[in-house]
Structures are given as structure tokens and as C-alpha cells.
């Protein structure tokens, strides 16, 4: 008995020594039936805010298998609500205690049980979040506020001047969940415009349904219809993913052009869905166009094989947006100063576009201003960081920063006002141009937050988690 006790003590000592000296090793001497984490802890139990965190682990795998994947998560224990971040924490800033969990998976797709360790972040900082963001400079990097910061307390600013780009904005998003075949929306345009389509399949009869977008020449002469740019994404059950990919494609391919010469009174097919549309899947589009004269646009859900020309039934709308609006784009010129500030988009009814439902003959509001582009010209007097903070339920999309398109956030989605993404840095005296469209499937409002570097000790953003977010 004594020898066995000494043997176990010696083995424990060896394991502890290996953990302290080696980062992550495989203990091959153990016979296990599934992956097992023998020991797991951080190199230091207490770290300063912004100090790099190193983790040490000892694990065993079944014979004939290899390490395939690690799964990390952490949660702050100082919050009153349950909040879990699914990533490996490289640095932490908000002071308090955190619980970190690790699981491993072998090459046979078997997961270990979670192993837990705890780490305390002191109130002292080795570097600021802002410095860390600047060092990483990853557009869309996600960070968590953990209840330590409310951007609404910053100074609210408006544009020093603004402009509007007129044009028809035709939106078909109601009924968002399509429960029957028919005409979902139709609108009239003459000149430049954009058509937004966003619908989900919700029919239960199992038949083969497809979406179509049609245009009819209402003039008495043949006319040219030019599609300047277009993006169509789906079908997919991941609505947020569809909205993100739609914007990435739309802004990345702005040189695409398709031209139709349409005789008087004739109808042309702009889009006919080729892939099968399963129940729960979303389809979404932006189509920018220019016509020489008056045309009618129609969005239809048809049963595959039907003659669309026989369709006369209009589907009943729901609470989502359907209508024709007169503004395609708003431009704001914003001169930033040395104060912490924010610029908001999609805040209230006074900002929302007022349009007309051409099927029902009723006035409608575009709540959130879906389909309308915002262009912000940001001029900085000091080096300034820009943070993007959606305030609705959930957000997954893309923004354009100085002509380049970035997913926002660069992985996953932003949930509620407690999460934000790093957008970029504006150098002193320079201007950055940001383009934004509220993604289909996401919600408004959103804040653009400006953090000048002129007075670091007054920057309450130093309490935030501004680390670069990257996949494991």
C-alpha cells in the first residue's frame, strides 16, 4: 500500500513538473478509451489587463488517434448574467475573475469532458485595448464590453453636412415567410433604382417552389434595361449568413453589368431560382438598375413548371417591410474632434424612409432603412480609432472601409449592445470613407464610435475588451 501511494505521488509530481515546463503535451503512457484532459491551468493565476495569457495542459488520447481539434470558451464571473465567449482568451482587460473551459477532440470525432481553470485579471493594465487593436489591426475584430461601457454616454454627433442620392428603392420582404405561391410585391420605376428581395420558404405541402424577379416594359417603345450591379444569395437556412454574404458579394463586384433590350409591353425574366427551395431557407438579393422609361418590377413565388404569366394572386403581407421608396443613398460628412463620440444610424421614426405600398395603396415606413446605403466621410483632427457597435438583437454583415470590403464581425455575429467590432484607424488630418447597408436579416440601430488618442487617461474605452477576434 505504501509503495502504491509513493508511486502515485511520484506520478503526480512528474505530471505537475511537465505542466509547468511544457505547454501542451500528450501523455502516451496512459490507456484511455476517449480523450482525457489530465490537468489544465493558466501559467499565471493572476494577470494584468492586457497581459498575454499562456495556458498549460496535459492530455491523453486513445491509442491510434491524434489530436484533431480544441474547443475553448470563457465567461466572466463578475457579471450578474450568464455570458459565454466561445474562443481562446489570449488577453483580457476587464478586471475580475474568469472561468476558462477547454475540450479536445480526437481523430475519431470523440470529445473529452470539459476541463476548467480560473484566472483573475487585476485592475492594473500592461497595455490598453486601443494599443492592442492598433497592433493587430484586424478589421471586424470582435470584442465584448462585459457591461463596463455604454457608448451612449459619449457625445452624440451629427454630420456637418449631408446629401441624398435619389432613386427608386423597391423592397419585397413581406410576407417575409412565404406561405403560398403568388405575387409577393410589384412596383413601378423610371430611371435609376435598386430592388431588394428577402424571403423565406414556409410552405408545408412539399411542392417544388421557386422565386422569380420579372420586369415589364410599360412604355410604347422598345427600351434598354441595364442591371448595373447585382447579388443574389441563398437558398440557405442561415439567414444571417445570407445577409452577410449578400453584402460581401454586392460590394466586391460593382462592375457587373447585364443589359436587356425589351420590346414594348414585353416581360423579361431578371432572375429565376435554379436550386431547390427547402422550407426554412432564405433567398436574398440586391439588384441595381437603370431604365430609359417606365417599367414594372415583380417578385413572385411560383410552383416549378407553372406559367408565371397566369399569376394574378397577391400574397398577404405581414409585419415586415414592403414598398417603394424614393431614396437610395444618404451621404454624411463628419468632422471629428478630440472628444469621445458616436454617430447613430437607424435610431427612430424620424430617420426612416417613408414610401408607398403599391399593392395596397398605403403609406409605409422603412424601419431600419433596409436597402439604403449610407456613406460616411470621416475627417479626424487626431489619430482616431473607429468602433462599430450594433444596438439591435443580432447583427452579421459587411462594411466598406476606404474601398475595401470587410465582414463585420470577421467571425460569427454581434449580439446586442454588449458586443462590438474594431473598424479601423484614421490618421490625424486624414479622411476615411465608410459605406454601410443594414444587412437583410439583421436589426438596427447601429453606432459608429470614435475614440481619439489625444488623451488616453480619459478614454473609458480602456475598460473594454478590444482584442482581435480570430478563429481557433
Amino acid at each position: 500500500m505504501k509503495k502504491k501511494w509513493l508511486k502515485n505521488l511520484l506520478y503526480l509530481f512528474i505530471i505537475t513538473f511537465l505542466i509547468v515546463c511544457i505547454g501542451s503535451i500528450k501523455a502516451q503512457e496512459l490507456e484511455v478509451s476517449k480523450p482525457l484532459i489530465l490537468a489544465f491551468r493558466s501559467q499565471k493565476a493572476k494577470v494584468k489587463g492586457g497581459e498575454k495569457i499562456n495556458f498549460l495542459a496535459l492530455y491523453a488520447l486513445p491509442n491510434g488517434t491524434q489530436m484533431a481539434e480544441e474547443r475553448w470558451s470563457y465567461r466572466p464571473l463578475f457579471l450578474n448574467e450568464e455570458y459565454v465567449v466561445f474562443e481562446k482568451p489570449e488577453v483580457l482587460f476587464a478586471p475580475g475573475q474568469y472561468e476558462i473551459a477547454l475540450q479536445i477532440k480526437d481523430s475519431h470525432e470523440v470529445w473529452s469532458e470539459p476541463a476548467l481553470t480560473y484566472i483573475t485579471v487585476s485592475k492594473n493594465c500592461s497595455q490598453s485595448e486601443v494599443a492592442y487593436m492598433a497592433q493587430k489591426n484586424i478589421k471586424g475584430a470582435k470584442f465584448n464590453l462585459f457591461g463596463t461601457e455604454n457608448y451612449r454616454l459619449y457625445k452624440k454627433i451629427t454630420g456637418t453636412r449631408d446629401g441624398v442620392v435619389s432613386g427608386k428603392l423597391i423592397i419585397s420582404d413581406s410576407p417575409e415567410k412565404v406561405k403560398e405561391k403568388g405575387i409577393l410585391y410589384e412596383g413601378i420605376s423610371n430611371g435609376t433604382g435598386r430592388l431588394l428581395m428577402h424571403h423565406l420558404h414556409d410552405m408545408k405541402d412539399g411542392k417544388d417552389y421557386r422565386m422569380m424577379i420579372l420586369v415589364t416594359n410599360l412604355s410604347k417603345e422598345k427600351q434598354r434595361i441595364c442591371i448595373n450591379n447585382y447579388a443574389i444569395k441563398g437558398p440557405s437556412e442561415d439567414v444571417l449568413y445570407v445577409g452577410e454574404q449578400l453584402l460581401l458579394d454586392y460590394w466586391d463586384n460593382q462592375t457587373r453589368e447585364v443589359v436587356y433590350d425589351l420590346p414594348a409591353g414585353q416581360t423579361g425574366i431578371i432572375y429565376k431560382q435554379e436550386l431547390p427551395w427547402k422550407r426554412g431557407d432564405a433567398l436574398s438579393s440586391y439588384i441595381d438598375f437603370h431604365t430609359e422609361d417606365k417599367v414594372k418590377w415583380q417578385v413572385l413565388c411560383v410552383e416549378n413548371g407553372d406559367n408565371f404569366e397566369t399569376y394574378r394572386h397577391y400574397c398577404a403581407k405581414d409585419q415586415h417591410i414592403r414598398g417603394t421608396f424614393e431614396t437610395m443613398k444618404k451621404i454624411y460628412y463628419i468632422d471629428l474632434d478630440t472628444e469621445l463620440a458616436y454617430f447613430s444610424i437607424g435610431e427612430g421614426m424620424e430617420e426612416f424612409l417613408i414610401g408607398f405600398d403599391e399593392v395596397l395603396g398605403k403609406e409605409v415606413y422603412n424601419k431600419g432603412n433596409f436597402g439604403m446605403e449610407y456613406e460616411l466621410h470621416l475627417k479626424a483632427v487626431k489619430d482616431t480609432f473607429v468602433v462599430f457597435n450594433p444596438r439591435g438583437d443580432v447583427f452579421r454583415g459587411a462594411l466598406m472601409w476606404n474601398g475595401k470590403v470587410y465582414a463585420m464581425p470577421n467571425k460569427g455575429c454581434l449580439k446586442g449592445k454588449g458586443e462590438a467590432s474594431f473598424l479601423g484607424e484614421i490618421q490625424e488630418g486624414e479622411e476615411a470613407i465608410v459605406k454601410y447597408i443594414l444587412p437583410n436579416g439583421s436589426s438596427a440601430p447601429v453606432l459608429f464610435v470614435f475614440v481619439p488618442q489625444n488623451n488616453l487617461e480619459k478614454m473609458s474605452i480602456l475598460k473594454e475588451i478590444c482584442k482581435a477576434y480570430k478563429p481557433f
Side-chain angles (χ1 to χ4, degrees):
M1 179 67 70
K2 185 175 182 181
K3 287 184 178 180
K4 185 176 181 180
W5 180 82
L6 288 173
K7 182 180 178 180
N8 289 340
L9 182 62
L10 179 61
Y11 181 68
L12 181 61
F13 173 78
I14 293 171
I15 288 177
T16 305
F17 176 78
L18 289 172
I19 293 172
V20 171
C21 297
I22 303 174
S24 182
I25 67 168
K26 178 179 177 181
Q28 299 186 15
E29 67 273 17
L30 295 182
E31 293 288 338
V32 292
S33 59
K34 68 180 222 176
L36 176 65
I37 300 175
L38 301 168
F40 171 54
R41 71 176 182 84
S42 61
Q43 197 170 34
K44 296 171 65 174
K46 188 173 184 178
V47 296
K48 296 179 181 180
E51 182 180 351
K52 183 173 175 57
I53 304 170
N54 296 308
F55 292 98
L56 308 163
L58 183 70
Y59 61 87
L61 298 174
N63 289 332
T65 68
Q66 296 177 338
M67 167 77 79
E69 187 179 343
E70 299 178 25
R71 179 188 289 163
W72 293 78
S73 66
Y74 68 93
R75 63 188 185 99
L77 300 180
F78 50 85
L79 294 182
N80 294 327
E81 57 182 312
E82 182 72 12
Y83 192 98
V84 181
V85 181
F86 293 96
E87 65 176 68
K88 180 181 179 180
E90 295 183 349
V91 292
L92 295 167
F93 290 91
Q97 189 179 43
Y98 295 80
E99 179 186 81
I100 296 94
L102 170 65
Q103 284 181 278
I104 59 173
K105 183 176 74 173
D106 65 19
S107 51
H108 290 171
E109 303 290 317
V110 179
W111 284 97
S112 72
E113 295 298 320
L116 302 178
T117 190
Y118 298 87
I119 190 169
T120 299
V121 178
S122 70
K123 294 182 179 180
N124 298 322
C125 289
S126 62
Q127 66 171 333
S128 70
E129 295 91 333
V130 174
Y132 192 81
M133 273 199 293
Q135 179 185 355
K136 295 292 183 180
N137 193 28
I138 301 176
K139 302 289 192 297
K142 178 180 173 182
F143 58 95
N144 303 277
L145 305 183
F146 291 140
T148 62
E149 187 68 16
N150 183 1
Y151 290 133
R152 294 284 193 189
L153 300 179
Y154 292 5
K155 182 178 72 172
K156 183 177 181 178
I157 59 175
T158 58
T160 52
R161 61 188 190 282
D162 54 52
V164 170
V165 177
S166 298
K168 293 289 185 182
L169 176 59
I170 299 173
I171 298 180
S172 179
D173 183 26
S174 185
E176 186 168 276
K177 293 184 177 181
V178 181
K179 299 181 182 296
E180 60 178 339
K181 63 183 182 181
I183 302 171
L184 296 166
Y185 187 62
E186 67 180 26
I188 309 297
S189 73
N190 184 351
T192 300
R194 176 178 302 128
L195 186 148
L196 182 160
M197 173 194 72
H198 183 71
H199 292 285
L200 283 77
H201 185 312
D202 195 31
M203 289 164 282
K204 303 177 182 179
D205 56 18
K207 294 181 180 179
D208 185 7
Y209 293 101
R210 306 294 172 101
M211 292 293 294
M212 296 185 71
I213 299 176
L214 310 176
V215 62
T216 302
N217 182 0
L218 298 181
S219 73
K220 297 180 180 180
E221 304 289 338
K222 175 181 177 181
Q223 68 164 307
R224 174 158 291 186
I225 297 167
C226 182
I227 305 300
N228 309 115
N229 185 26
Y230 64 92
I232 301 173
K233 289 298 174 182
S236 171
E237 62 183 7
D238 190 337
V239 178
L240 294 173
Y241 175 77
V242 169
E244 174 200 68
Q245 293 299 307
L246 181 67
L247 277 169
L248 288 170
D249 190 34
Y250 173 76
W251 271 325
D252 259 344
N253 299 280
Q254 292 192 307
T255 58
R256 284 185 293 205
E257 186 174 276
V258 181
V259 174
Y260 301 86
D261 290 317
L262 202 59
Q266 294 295 303
T267 297
I269 300 174
I270 299 298
Y271 169 72
K272 183 175 182 180
Q273 181 186 344
E274 296 181 357
L275 295 174
W277 198 19
K278 297 180 299 192
R279 189 177 181 209
D281 282 359
L283 273 169
S284 213
S285 75
Y286 297 128
I287 298 176
D288 289 354
F289 58 82
H290 180 80
T291 66
E292 298 173 332
D293 208 329
K294 187 179 291 187
V295 298
K296 176 173 69 177
W297 299 88
Q298 289 181 307
V299 178
L300 285 76
C301 173
V302 301
E303 188 174 344
N304 200 22
D306 278 1
N307 178 8
F308 66 84
E309 294 179 345
T310 64
Y311 276 51
R312 299 289 184 269
H313 172 68
Y314 291 91
C315 299
K317 76 180 298 293
D318 58 19
Q319 74 275 18
H320 293 91
I321 300 165
R322 185 177 82 177
T324 305
F325 306 86
E326 302 296 330
T327 302
M328 290 177 58
K329 182 176 184 177
K330 286 187 177 181
I331 305 171
Y332 292 91
Y333 296 86
I334 303 171
D335 293 331
L336 304 173
D337 55 27
T338 59
E339 293 187 59
L340 297 165
Y342 73 89
F343 180 82
S344 64
I345 289 178
E347 283 278 23
M349 297 298 290
E350 69 281 356
E351 185 184 343
F352 298 152
L353 298 175
I354 301 175
F356 197 70
D357 186 327
E358 297 187 60
V359 174
L360 296 178
K362 293 183 178 180
E363 185 179 86
V364 291
Y365 284 85
N366 184 351
K367 295 180 180 179
N369 286 342
F370 284 92
M372 190 186 77
E373 181 180 309
Y374 288 84
E375 184 175 295
L376 311 181
H377 294 250
L378 308 172
K379 185 71 176 290
V381 295
K382 292 288 184 181
D383 292 353
T384 301
F385 290 95
V386 184
V387 172
F388 180 72
N389 178 219
R391 309 291 287 192
D393 294 331
V394 65
F395 185 97
R396 183 175 181 179
L399 281 80
M400 182 177 282
W401 174 275
N402 288 337
K404 294 184 178 181
V405 185
Y406 301 94
M408 198 63 52
N410 64 351
K411 185 182 179 183
C413 60
L414 299 171
K415 299 176 182 178
K417 61 186 179 181
E419 297 185 343
S421 281
F422 173 59
L423 185 51
E425 180 182 5
I426 311 171
Q427 299 293 324
E428 179 178 336
E430 294 186 357
E431 181 183 75
I433 299 176
V434 178
K435 292 185 178 182
Y436 161 82
I437 296 176
L438 177 60
N440 296 344
S442 293
S443 55
V446 301
L447 305 184
F448 290 86
V449 183
F450 308 110
V451 183
Q453 299 181 55
N454 60 293
N455 202 336
L456 289 177
E457 67 269 17
K458 291 185 178 179
M459 292 169 60
S460 51
I461 196 174
L462 297 182
K463 294 182 292 184
E464 300 167 3
I465 313 300
C466 296
K467 71 180 189 61
Y469 183 94
K470 62 181 181 180
F472 170 70

